[in-house]
Amino acid sequence: MSSIAKDQLILLSHSKNMLLLAQQHKFAELEVLQKQWQPLLEKMLNRYGEQLNIVRAVLLEDAQQMERVLLASQAELGQHFLQSVKANKSVRKYVEP
């Protein structure tokens, strides 16, 4: 297997791992991989340039899926926060003199 093929597999594997972590809501682990992602991607782009076009579509789709998952998670967390605020206000009505 050629060096570029191995490095393409590394990029694809890393991308799929980040997507999986996002889908599983494992955000702390995702953050660790994301910090490694940018330098890895830049290194590969500098090394291979347009030769990475073969995997570009897959990497882009993974990034778009991850963005959708993260936006949905953010909206869900926002809804939970609003529900907690409303519940807190309701409890305060009964607790305050």
Side-chain angles (χ1 to χ4, degrees):
M1 181 179 276
S2 70
S3 179
I4 187 170
K6 288 178 187 177
D7 286 344
Q8 287 172 336
L9 285 175
I10 289 169
L11 285 175
L12 291 169
S13 174
H14 199 104
S15 179
K16 295 296 181 186
N17 285 334
M18 288 190 307
L19 178 57
L20 183 63
L21 289 173
Q23 291 169 336
Q24 295 174 344
H25 302 281
K26 295 182 177 180
F27 301 118
E29 294 171 43
L30 174 60
E31 183 180 8
V32 171
L33 284 186
Q34 283 181 318
K35 287 179 181 178
Q36 298 168 359
W37 174 248
Q38 193 61 40
L40 176 64
L41 184 60
E42 287 176 13
K43 176 183 167 187
M44 299 295 183
L45 285 171
N46 288 334
R47 183 178 295 168
Y48 301 112
E50 291 186 19
Q51 294 176 23
L52 292 178
N53 285 344
I54 296 168
V55 296
R56 182 181 304 230
V58 175
L59 296 176
L60 181 58
E61 177 59 30
D62 288 352
Q64 290 170 340
Q65 279 185 283
M66 195 176 343
E67 180 180 23
R68 287 190 293 270
V69 168
L70 293 174
L71 288 174
S73 295
Q74 186 179 28
E76 185 179 324
L77 288 171
Q79 287 296 331
H80 288 300
F81 178 74
L82 288 176
Q83 290 172 353
S84 295
V85 168
K86 288 178 183 178
N88 191 19
K89 285 181 181 179
S90 295
V91 169
R92 282 186 180 178
K93 286 181 184 178
Y94 294 105
V95 175
E96 292 178 355

